[in-house]
Amino acid sequence: MCNRFRSIHEWSQIPRQLYSGARANFEFNPNVAPTEIVPVLIAGDGVVMARFGINKSGSAGKPRPPLLNVRTDGMRKGQFRSHLKSRRCAIPCEGFYEWRDEGGKQPYYFSRTDGEPLMLAGIWEEAEYKGDKRPAFAILTDEPNELVASYHDRMPLALAGDKVELWLDLSQESPLDQDLLLDIKEFAVRPMDRAMNNARQKDLAAIDPQAKAA
């Protein structure tokens, strides 16, 4: 499950071949948690500020926990078939976090070896949270590569560079039939300070003391 990630720093980190329109204002967030808002590339609409987690109501109108992740192997059936067809998005980020039990929850940070942003595949829909209605997204998860497998049994679908445009092209009705995942050689991992286990911790130096040297 991917429920935390690190947002991009700058607007310029959104590849111009994917979007060159009007800028959106946002702040760097090194510890993006559910319900927080980040820039997202929505197929057909460009960049919007979207909420992490799709809020839905359950029986009798009771709110459910936000939907954060959707398995790729469940996208072709059930409630997500329409999302796969017409509501795809890509989430630009510097990296994502996973945890291992090492005498407590030890977080690890996965990023690209070349320092370029990751583009995570996602789905979106309009959703309301505390009176704020806006696009909200969930991240697709897939079987882990060999690197991530020793940390978690799922991983976010980090798109290979030449597959991002395909994922955002709604004329491509079956993008999951292709191998979309970034090659394992492009991933790097390192441990984080356990301070980042607190979702309210937004100080990069406290979360990742090696960040400037990495």
Side-chain angles (χ1 to χ4, degrees):
M1 181 174 179
C2 179
N3 61 10
R4 302 277 190 86
F5 60 93
R6 184 177 299 185
S7 79
I8 53 174
H9 260 94
E10 307 288 344
W11 183 260
S12 61
Q13 289 180 287
I14 296 175
R16 291 185 64 84
Q17 72 269 24
L18 299 177
Y19 181 74
S20 58
R23 296 168 61 97
N25 293 322
F26 69 95
E27 294 183 2
F28 170 60
N29 185 343
N31 194 5
V32 179
T35 75
E36 296 181 343
I37 295 169
V38 294
V40 169
L41 279 154
I42 285 182
D45 286 338
V47 177
V48 302
M49 299 303 295
R51 182 183 301 108
F52 181 26
I54 300 173
N55 290 86
K56 293 177 174 289
S57 295
S59 60
K62 293 182 179 179
R64 296 176 178 174
L67 176 69
L68 304 177
N69 299 148
V70 177
R71 296 172 65 103
T72 54
D73 50 12
M75 285 292 293
R76 297 180 180 86
K77 57 187 177 180
Q79 62 178 315
F80 299 118
R81 284 183 297 178
S82 63
H83 293 76
L84 179 60
K85 181 178 179 181
S86 62
R87 284 181 276 176
R88 302 197 296 263
C89 65
I91 304 96
C93 67
E94 294 200 340
F96 62 90
Y97 302 104
E98 297 291 358
W99 285 262
R100 282 200 304 204
D101 184 1
E102 298 177 359
K105 290 180 62 177
Q106 173 59 49
Y108 286 85
Y109 177 59
F110 295 83
S111 59
R112 285 183 57 135
T113 55
D114 60 9
E116 292 298 309
L118 289 170
M119 300 293 289
L120 307 182
I123 58 170
W124 71 277
E125 67 178 70
E126 290 280 337
E128 185 172 341
Y129 176 72
K130 294 185 176 179
D132 179 29
K133 188 173 183 179
R134 67 169 66 233
F137 66 92
I139 297 170
L140 268 63
T141 65
D142 205 346
E143 295 295 326
N145 62 27
E146 292 178 7
L147 177 65
V148 180
S150 62
Y151 299 85
H152 204 276
D153 61 0
R154 303 289 296 176
M155 69 175 290
L157 178 50
L159 296 163
D162 62 348
K163 301 298 184 182
V164 180
E165 291 183 74
L166 180 149
W167 177 252
L168 294 173
D169 181 0
L170 295 180
S171 70
Q172 301 286 333
E173 294 188 0
S174 303
L176 292 178
D177 292 340
Q178 301 197 36
D179 183 7
L180 301 175
L181 186 63
L182 186 69
D183 190 273
I184 188 173
K185 296 189 295 294
E186 303 296 325
F187 284 93
V189 59
R190 67 177 189 272
M192 296 288 100
D193 192 282
R194 294 189 184 188
M196 77 137 292
N197 290 344
N198 182 349
R200 293 186 295 273
Q201 177 57 264
K202 306 299 184 183
D203 181 357
L204 179 61
I207 291 170
D208 186 1
Q210 302 178 52
K212 292 184 178 179

